[in-house]
Amino acid sequence: MILTTFVALIVILVLAIPVAAGLGWLGLVLNQFYSPLAMIVTLGEVTWSTTTSFLLVAIPFYVLMGEIMLRTGMAERMYNAIAQWISWLPGGLMHTNVVACAVWGAPSGSSVATAVTVGTVAVGQIKKHNYNEPLFLGTIAAGGTLGILIPPSINMVVYGAMTDTSIPKLYLAGFLPGFVLSILFMGTVLVACLWRPAWGGTKIETNWKQRIRTLPDLLPPLVILSAVIGSIYAGLATATEAAALGILAALGYAAAERRLSFKVLSDIFEATARTTGMLMAIVIGAYFLNVIITTTGLANNLITLVTAMQLSPFGTLMAVVVFYLVLGMFMETLSMMVATIPITTPLIVSAGYNPIWYGILVVLLMEAALLTPPVGMNLFVVQGIRERGNINDVIVGTAPFILTLFLMIALIIAFPGIVMWLPNLAE
């Protein structure tokens, strides 16, 4: 059964079948041969229960919140404000890229959306200030990955829903690793520009008066993030209700700034519908496959197989890490996550690891997948924004940050407290 599933996954990848259809097709194949369940009934029940899940309603809410912030000009003003404060560092606006991704990625909840937003604002600065182009592009691609690590995060919502893990605890667990990884990314830029000062471009001119004047432009994402996270930990809202509060905060600020119009609202809702439709199709396919995997006992068979190999808990963990690093080169991250979490989570938990800690590890592995060719999504996003040259420039510029991500993965494996300190403190 395990071999059949593996071969079917390879066929899906080779044929480039759309992810949602591929997951559903794999579930139908496994159901046909191994389960007595009626396929139509099962698929219907899964589709209904998934699309009516109160927890998963948070996904379109976070997408809508990000679209409001993007299309009402908050991103550009925030970027310019951050640049006034930290562009004096060796590397200049490359540090701004990382910090802007961290600040913007928190309320947006999506790596691709974060890379698109910050990249759209930042790419024009490369020639203007004579930056090393590959490294500059690498900071956008790598910084964009922070969108799924710093809470709230769409990937954390999906992981929590699929593994019955506390989403507020996952959010707490993501804060410190997100902060540490942001510092490590900035450290990577700093080392590169101290080694090759010419890569750091020319500094922008600023003064304290200009810095103070830009402070209000930093408030929107911070206020929205506070509304979302604060309402959860104050006990005022669930993760889904908090996302709705974030939407209200974003709309309220945009309205106060007179940046809403029928055209803007139309664009916001259309983009939200498109993105949500794509994400939910993937989630439905993955949940259907999850039901089939559970029914056929595939997860238990895999645990039995690994147990028979007599791997240590650490050996099991390393096998899963390598599995994700390799698979991440060929699959889109959300689809990879929802297709494999039902299999790998019981395996890791049975080895004695905490599911909250493992959730953050999975998110970091998804970040690595966003940057590794040939299917690293953020690589193509950044190249698409650039609209010139070769994608190899983006790949080369991102390479140092992939090594930094590997260092971060090693750190949370060696020191789990980086992840678990805040959740344990909350208890």
Side-chain angles (χ1 to χ4, degrees):
M1 185 187 303
I2 296 174
L3 180 61
T4 302
T5 305
F6 178 76
V7 171
L9 278 171
I10 295 298
V11 170
I12 291 172
L13 291 173
V14 171
L15 296 180
I17 297 173
V19 173
L23 293 174
W25 174 79
L26 179 56
L28 291 174
V29 169
L30 293 177
N31 185 75
Q32 177 71 28
F33 289 98
Y34 300 110
S35 173
L37 290 174
M39 289 183 291
I40 296 178
V41 173
T42 303
L43 183 57
E45 289 177 351
V46 169
T47 301
W48 173 256
S49 62
T50 301
T51 53
T52 57
S53 168
F54 179 73
L55 186 59
L56 291 179
V57 170
I59 293 176
F61 280 2
Y62 284 127
V63 173
L64 176 57
M65 182 170 62
E67 288 293 334
I68 294 169
M69 296 172 67
L70 171 62
R71 296 175 186 274
T72 54
M74 295 183 200
E76 185 173 358
R77 299 195 301 277
M78 177 203 70
Y79 185 89
N80 292 333
I82 293 173
Q84 294 291 323
W85 286 91
I86 66 172
S87 60
W88 57 271
L89 289 167
L93 292 177
M94 289 189 278
H95 295 288
T96 303
N97 294 343
V98 174
V99 175
C101 285
V103 175
W104 186 266
S108 79
S110 164
S111 286
V112 171
T114 301
V116 168
T117 302
V118 175
T120 301
V121 177
V123 160
Q125 304 297 323
I126 298 174
K127 298 297 183 184
K128 183 178 179 181
H129 294 283
N130 299 313
Y131 285 100
N132 176 269
E133 190 158 1
L135 187 63
F136 192 97
L137 296 172
T139 61
I140 300 171
T145 65
L146 295 169
I148 61 172
L149 179 60
I150 299 176
S153 161
I154 291 174
N155 292 62
M156 288 185 189
V157 171
V158 172
Y159 176 87
M162 296 192 74
T163 62
D164 197 25
T165 303
S166 168
I167 292 177
K169 287 185 177 180
L170 283 169
Y171 282 178
L172 279 177
F175 271 114
L176 190 53
F179 175 77
V180 172
L181 185 58
S182 300
I183 297 298
L184 290 177
F185 281 161
M186 293 178 69
T188 303
V189 172
L190 189 63
V191 170
C193 291
L194 288 175
W195 180 48
R196 289 284 190 273
W199 290 359
T202 57
K203 291 182 172 60
I204 65 171
E205 294 185 5
T206 186
N207 54 56
W208 283 103
K209 184 178 180 180
Q210 287 179 299
R211 288 172 179 152
I212 299 299
R213 188 185 301 140
T214 61
L215 282 177
D217 293 332
L218 294 173
L219 289 178
L222 296 177
V223 168
I224 293 169
L225 176 62
S226 299
V228 174
I229 300 297
S231 61
I232 293 175
Y233 296 115
L236 300 176
T238 64
T240 301
E241 292 164 346
L245 287 175
I247 292 172
L248 292 177
L251 282 173
Y253 185 87
E257 292 289 308
R258 299 180 182 276
R259 293 181 178 273
L260 288 180
S261 65
F262 287 113
K263 175 65 167 61
V264 170
L265 287 172
S266 175
D267 291 342
I268 288 171
F269 292 135
E270 180 180 350
T272 300
R274 289 178 181 275
T275 304
T276 301
M278 176 192 69
L279 292 176
M280 291 308 295
I282 292 173
V283 171
I284 290 170
Y287 265 77
F288 175 65
L289 179 59
N290 188 14
V291 170
I292 302 304
I293 286 174
T294 303
T295 303
T296 58
L298 181 59
N300 291 332
N301 290 346
L302 184 58
I303 292 173
T304 302
L305 177 62
V306 173
T307 302
M309 296 171 64
Q310 297 184 333
L311 292 174
S312 65
F314 182 74
T316 301
L317 178 64
M318 288 299 98
V320 170
V321 168
V322 172
F323 165 75
Y324 274 119
L325 290 176
V326 173
L327 192 61
M329 297 179 183
F330 306 101
M331 277 190 84
E332 186 273 329
T333 53
L334 183 61
S335 57
M336 174 173 61
M337 185 174 168
V338 295
T340 58
I341 282 300
I343 301 174
T344 62
T345 302
L347 193 62
I348 293 298
V349 172
S350 68
Y353 291 97
N354 188 295
I356 294 174
W357 175 86
Y358 179 59
I360 302 304
L361 176 63
V362 166
V363 170
L364 284 169
L365 291 168
M366 296 305 106
E367 289 189 69
L370 285 163
L371 300 179
T372 48
V375 192
M377 186 65 71
N378 277 23
L379 303 177
F380 292 98
V381 166
V382 172
Q383 176 61 21
I385 296 169
R386 181 190 182 202
E387 294 183 335
R388 56 185 167 79
N390 194 291
I391 195 172
N392 288 336
D393 292 337
V394 187
I395 294 172
V396 170
T398 304
F401 300 98
I402 297 176
L403 296 178
T404 305
L405 256 174
F406 291 166
L407 172 60
M408 187 69 212
I409 292 169
L411 282 175
I412 73 162
I413 291 174
F415 305 102
I418 297 174
V419 173
M420 296 306 300
W421 180 61
L422 282 177
N424 289 340
L425 195 65
E427 294 178 354

